[in-house]
Amino acid sequence: MLFKDFARDINPHQAYRVKKLNRQLEMAESYEEWKSIALKIDEESGAQEWKLDNCSPYFDAEIIVHRLSLLKRYRLQKRTRDLMYILSEGLTYDIANIAHPLLFSVTYVGTKKIIEDYVAAVSEGLAFIASEQCDCLTAAEKINFFENCQKAFGQPAMMFSGGSTLGLFHTGVCKALMEQDLMPKVLSGSSAGAIMTGMLGVAKPSEFMEILKGQNFYSEAFHFRKLSDLLRGNGGLADVKYLKNFLVENLGDMTFAEAQKNSGLNINIAVAPYDASQDARIMNAYTSPDLLVWSAVLASCAVPILFPPVKLTSKRYDGQYTPYMASTRWVDGSVRSDFPQEKMARLYNINYTIASQVNPHIVPFMQNDISRFRKDMLSWPERIIRRQGKVITKGVMDFARERVGSVPPMRRLLDHGYGVVDQRYYGDVNIVGKHSLRHYSYMLQNPRPYLFKVLQREGERATWPKISLIETHARVGKTIQHCLELLNYQNSPEQQHAEFIAV
């Protein structure tokens, strides 16, 4: 049952109140205000009653009920070894399919109560093991347990799409997540998303919220070339030196390795060789530690036709700038790898991804979770059209590429087009911009205070409905992280020395 179904069971007076609350929801100025109104809508519509019913085709309630009972019993009886065993065997954020998107599509806030209770019980069990109440384990045993838990559970990643100036939407997503302490430590970005990733990646954590106020984004990043210059060739529609100056000014001369130490974030910039026969890459502190961040971001912003392909620059151990793969030129990573999920999963032990999507050629074709996961017969025609449409488009491009292989510019354009069609544009959690014709007029405008505020607020508002879902996914992982940090602090030589002095 989905949210719209509850409307059939409410009387006209309730329907009026729900409609009034929905108008208030659209005018909410903060997440706290939005959540308060959303909870009232859930109550008025009867959706709260759905939370108390364990029946659902989307998860195995029997498994969750059984495990919840064991978790509570072992913790109350202080059966630590049994508690550790039951926690370890089910340490995944989507056990029994409790992370299914449709379980978060019925109510505005939260999901089935049994799922919320289970996630809370896992967190409480972990906290008990880390606490002083659990005295049957040594500090070393506790630390070893939580280090294993951290590896088993994994961590989330945040992915920012391209989208030119529409990428200011990402600042609102970041702001909403940071205010709720839900921002992942692993970030990726391509094109406009690469700028967002780079801005955060070179800053100190104390500077993150200041960056999101927007002052650093106001710039003449787009400066279009004269017709006479375009006719001479050797470039794109826009002058790349203005974008380069903006990036150098805001990102400095930090390498990826230096940025990781400074921000504590693992940032990944998606770039693609101009030669489309080569695979796209992600640049980060592991794959390219000496590469300058601004250089990778510039390459990721080199959208074919708009900007020319660029070469990358590294910083040597002695501070000298040197070419990175000198014979290769690079372009926007989003043409072949907007969301590099598989590559990041191998490097960072990713368990789920959050995608912020504003690409203007993608957003109109994105489906919400209800449309994507519904399986009734009425959904079959659209499913068939979408799948076959993609197959046919790729087939036509393949045919065309074979016929124009001797014309390099056309072959390259078709290769890039094939890459755009062949990608996966969804994460596990999707925050998608709502584009009207007005938004397409924003695309190549230089960022200004008014435009920044409009797009940032759109990003915030698109994120608020996803907060409770992300909180549920993140709670166990954050508990493991906090327990491990606490144990390491308590058992650090400095802390033990301080306790000895106090005694």
Side-chain angles (χ1 to χ4, degrees), residues 156-160 173 177 182-184 339 352-356 427-431 466 470:
M158 181 80 229
M159 306 183 298
F160 301 111
V173 176
L177 292 178
L182 292 172
M183 191 69 181
F339 291 156
Y352 67 92
T353 56
I354 305 169
S356 177
D428 296 296
V429 180
N430 298 284
I431 303 170
K466 303 290 185 176
I470 297 170

Side-chain angles (χ1 to χ4, degrees), residues 12-186:
H13 185 57
Q14 285 177 304
Y16 171 76
R17 289 204 300 266
V18 169
K19 187 176 180 180
K20 185 177 179 181
L21 286 167
N22 273 311
R23 287 198 297 267
Q24 293 176 14
L25 196 71
E26 294 173 1
M27 303 300 292
E29 292 295 322
S30 68
Y31 175 65
E32 289 70 25
E33 182 184 354
W34 183 94
K35 184 177 179 180
S36 175
I37 299 168
L39 286 169
K40 292 177 183 176
I41 295 176
D42 287 341
E43 190 66 43
E44 285 286 348
S45 66
Q48 288 284 14
E49 297 173 9
W50 171 87
K51 288 185 175 184
L52 303 176
D53 181 4
N54 291 347
C55 295
S56 172
Y58 303 119
F59 82 111
D60 194 326
E62 188 176 338
I63 290 177
I64 297 303
V65 170
H66 177 65
R67 290 183 60 80
L68 177 59
S69 174
L70 293 178
L71 287 167
K72 287 181 177 180
R73 186 195 316 160
Y74 293 159
R75 184 168 60 83
L76 288 173
Q77 296 174 354
K78 296 189 176 180
R79 293 166 58 180
T80 304
R81 296 290 179 181
D82 289 329
L83 181 60
M84 292 169 67
Y85 180 85
I86 195 74
L87 285 169
S88 296
E89 75 173 9
L91 207 54
T92 171
Y93 85 102
D94 61 351
I95 183 172
N97 214 28
I98 61 173
H100 195 290
L102 292 189
L103 292 171
F104 296 85
S105 299
V106 177
T107 58
Y108 278 104
V109 180
T111 182
K112 295 284 190 183
K113 188 175 185 301
I114 191 69
I115 294 175
E116 294 174 349
D117 289 346
Y118 175 76
V119 172
V122 172
S123 296
E124 289 163 6
L126 291 165
F128 168 76
I129 293 171
S131 71
E132 294 180 354
Q133 290 178 280
C134 178
D135 54 11
C136 65
L137 299 174
T138 65
E141 286 176 321
K142 289 184 179 183
I143 290 172
N144 181 63
F145 172 73
F146 279 101
E147 285 177 343
N148 289 337
C149 286
Q150 195 168 54
K151 290 175 184 175
F153 193 78
Q155 64 177 324
M158 181 80 229
M159 306 183 298
F160 301 111
S161 76
S164 193
T165 304
L166 295 175
L168 294 174
F169 175 95
H170 300 320
T171 66
V173 176
C174 290
K175 183 171 181 287
L177 292 178
M178 286 185 183
E179 286 175 347
Q180 303 304 314
D181 191 26
L182 292 172
M183 191 69 181
K185 298 292 185 184
V186 178

Side-chain angles (χ1 to χ4, degrees), residues 268-309:
N268 301 266
I269 305 298
V271 297
Y274 186 51
D275 178 0
S277 64
Q278 299 182 50
D279 291 335
R281 292 183 56 182
I282 53 171
M283 302 304 191
N284 53 49
Y286 298 119
T287 62
S288 51
D290 301 318
L291 181 64
L292 291 164
V293 175
W294 70 257
S295 175
V297 175
L298 181 65
S300 192
C301 290
V303 181
I305 301 176
L306 182 62
F307 289 114

Side-chain angles (χ1 to χ4, degrees), residues 275-477:
D275 178 0
S277 64
Q278 299 182 50
D279 291 335
R281 292 183 56 182
I282 53 171
M283 302 304 191
N284 53 49
Y286 298 119
T287 62
S288 51
D290 301 318
L291 181 64
L292 291 164
V293 175
W294 70 257
S295 175
V297 175
L298 181 65
S300 192
C301 290
V303 181
I305 301 176
L306 182 62
F307 289 114
V310 300
K311 292 191 173 184
L312 295 173
T313 306
S314 290
K315 187 167 68 173
R316 216 166 54 183
Y317 57 87
D318 58 2
Q320 291 293 315
Y321 286 6
T322 58
Y324 179 93
M325 295 182 65
S327 61
T328 304
R329 293 184 299 164
W330 305 81
V331 295
D332 175 13
S334 67
V335 298
R336 293 205 292 284
S337 185
D338 202 26
F339 291 156
Q341 302 179 56
E342 293 181 7
K343 295 177 182 178
M344 289 197 300
R346 291 196 292 267
L347 285 173
Y348 304 107
N349 190 25
I350 301 302
N351 52 9
Y352 67 92
T353 56
I354 305 169
S356 177
Q357 178 60 262
V358 290
N359 246 322
H361 60 287
I362 301 301
V363 167
F365 303 100
M366 294 281 285
Q367 294 178 291
N368 61 30
D369 290 334
I370 295 174
S371 298
R372 283 178 66 208
F373 290 99
R374 60 183 290 206
K375 295 181 180 179
D376 57 278
M377 291 185 64
L378 292 176
S379 70
W380 290 3
E382 183 179 358
R383 282 176 176 273
I384 293 170
I385 290 170
R386 281 179 171 271
R387 289 181 183 178
Q388 294 306 310
K390 185 173 182 177
V391 170
I392 292 169
T393 302
K394 288 165 64 178
V396 170
M397 286 187 171
D398 263 339
F399 179 83
R401 286 194 298 179
E402 291 172 3
R403 298 298 181 274
V404 299
S406 58
V407 185
M410 286 298 298
R411 172 63 189 244
R412 192 173 290 114
L413 189 62
L414 286 167
D415 284 341
H416 291 326
Y418 188 93
V420 170
V421 173
D422 195 40
Q423 291 184 57
R424 181 171 181 261
Y425 289 99
Y426 292 96
D428 296 296
V429 180
N430 298 284
I431 303 170
V432 183
K434 293 182 179 179
H435 292 353
S436 63
L437 290 176
R438 173 171 49 89
H439 285 80
Y440 290 86
S441 70
Y442 295 157
M443 278 184 55
L444 297 180
Q445 291 185 32
N446 285 304
R448 292 291 180 265
Y450 171 74
L451 185 56
F452 176 85
K453 289 179 181 178
V454 168
L455 293 175
Q456 184 178 73
R457 177 43 59 95
E458 288 183 6
E460 286 184 86
R461 296 190 63 80
T463 307
W464 291 341
K466 303 290 185 176
I467 293 290
S468 65
L469 182 157
I470 297 170
E471 279 180 332
T472 303
H473 288 1
R475 182 168 178 179
V476 172

